Amino acid sequence: MTRRPTIVLLATGGTIAGAAASATDTTGYTAGALSADTLLAAVPGLGDVAHLRAEQLFNLDSRDMGPAHWLAMARRVRSVLDESRVAGVVITHGTDTLEESACFLDATLASHKPVVLTGAMRPATALSADGPMNLYNAVCVAAHPDSAARGVLVSLGASILAAAGVRKGHIGRLEAFCASDGGCVGQTGPVRFFAPPPARPAPLALPDSAAQLPRVDVLYVGAGCPPEALEQAVASGARGIVLALPGNGSVPAAWRDAVAHAVAGGVPVVRASRAGAGAVTPAADDAELGTLPAGDRPASAVRVAVMLALATGRGAELARLLRP
Ligand code: SIN
């Protein structure tokens, strides 16, 4: 018999660990109600894929996660992967802010061993709950030799997505996540990747404490919205701004002065798009206003990248760090 790889499950809550009063209730439930061991017990056959070790890191609805949770997760992932007998990590996570955690973990991941995030769109008590299959697939991905050196992966439904550029794109569908163009890197059942692992940037250092991660605000720019939101954000202490702008990150004329003023004051302003897919590419505004294009990351993930760069003294390299 071949030796099964050891995979560590870090459970953090979410709908995958959610419980409702009735099997037909898929919205009125408590996220993060079931333990890591209960999640594992619901998946027959997992023991044939890997030797599993489970830890309950938190048990939260992911809307309540933030910098302290990202840092705790990243530290735990690092120390678990440092154990030579551990082949990979699976993290169960709420889907609502999974993209932020995935971005943080990916930017700071120093190991080639696989780290796979998964979640569910239906609580564990629902008819046809999707969590057990998602967990099974995530463990298969983490245990697969071809998953090495790919950075953090997200496994949900039948898709394997690269962390950079992943976003929750639907509030109800089981295949809730979208990837940036080219960001769907493989599929499960069985695990198969579409291309060899890409070259990866050097990992960013982990900040010593969550307090070092500065406030960075995301501002959604609707047609005709006044720029006061930007001025107020900077005045009240934001150290970086991500604008979710129309189209290819187009800065409205009424916002130009406020943007240029923020940049001149040392507050980086990144042009992301509210369109939901596609890459924001360099534009004349970047030279004129000092803005940075977000590439194909969602505004939520760009915010995390900016926080990390500022916290680790890499703010001057932001343009390079944001490049895909
Ligand atoms: C959460 O993000 O914790 C709740 C929603 C979900 O997991 O789908």
Side-chain angles (χ1 to χ4, degrees):
M1 183 175 152
T2 51
R3 231 173 118 225
R4 294 166 305 153
T6 295
I7 302 296
V8 176
L9 168 67
L10 302 179
T12 73
T15 295
I16 193 167
S22 116
T24 51
D25 193 347
T26 55
T27 52
Y29 59 89
T30 307
L34 306 180
S35 70
D37 289 329
T38 307
L39 300 189
L40 286 183
V43 190
L46 256 192
D48 298 335
V49 179
H51 171 70
L52 266 301
R53 199 173 91 199
E55 288 179 27
Q56 192 76 51
L57 208 48
F58 338 106
N59 214 351
L60 285 178
D61 189 311
S62 75
R63 67 187 168 195
D64 296 322
M65 287 210 190
H69 303 99
W70 307 332
L71 189 55
M73 255 185 285
R75 284 193 179 135
R76 193 62 198 130
V77 165
R78 269 200 186 176
S79 72
V80 160
L81 291 181
D82 279 348
E83 291 178 44
S84 57
R85 65 173 167 234
V86 172
V89 168
V90 169
I91 301 176
T92 49
H93 198 293
T95 60
D96 285 353
T97 69
L98 185 146
E99 60 210 52
E100 277 103 327
S101 296
C103 172
F104 191 95
L105 294 169
D106 189 55
T108 56
L109 182 67
S111 171
H112 280 192
K113 296 179 186 176
V115 175
V116 185
L117 277 88
T118 192
M121 294 301 291
R122 292 180 181 151
T125 47
L127 282 178
S128 302
D130 53 331
M133 193 67 193
N134 283 347
L135 180 52
Y136 179 81
N137 282 336
V139 171
C140 290
V141 176
H144 201 283
D146 290 352
S147 302
R150 292 181 183 272
V152 171
L153 298 169
V154 176
S155 173
L156 217 104
S159 303
I160 307 172
L161 310 166
V166 82
R167 69 195 91 198
K168 186 169 184 177
H170 199 284
I171 58 171
R173 284 191 191 136
L174 299 190
E175 295 269 354
F177 280 82
C178 318
S180 53
D181 295 332
C184 180
V185 295
Q187 64 185 47
T188 49
V191 173
R192 184 171 78 87
F193 287 95
F194 306 141
R200 295 210 4 105
L204 294 178
L206 280 179
D208 292 331
S209 77
Q212 286 178 358
L213 288 157
R215 173 175 154 187
V216 174
D217 287 2
V218 175
L219 303 176
Y220 187 97
V221 182
C225 278
E228 277 84 9
L230 170 53
E231 290 152 3
Q232 281 159 10
V234 173
S236 57
R239 299 251 323 276
I241 299 287
V242 181
L243 298 177
L245 290 158
N248 181 26
S250 288
V251 180
W255 283 65
R256 295 179 70 82
D257 284 352
V259 168
H261 192 254
V263 174
V267 176
V269 178
V270 183
R271 295 184 302 109
S273 177
R274 50 179 219 183
V280 174
T281 50
D285 280 349
D286 299 327
E288 288 161 19
L289 306 175
T291 48
L292 300 165
D296 54 11
R297 297 165 201 237
S300 53
V302 173
R303 169 176 165 257
V304 175
V306 175
M307 290 168 84
L308 260 172
L310 294 177
T312 53
R314 310 273 299 269
E317 295 166 66
L318 252 181
R320 191 177 58 74
L321 295 174
L322 289 176
R323 233 175 274 145

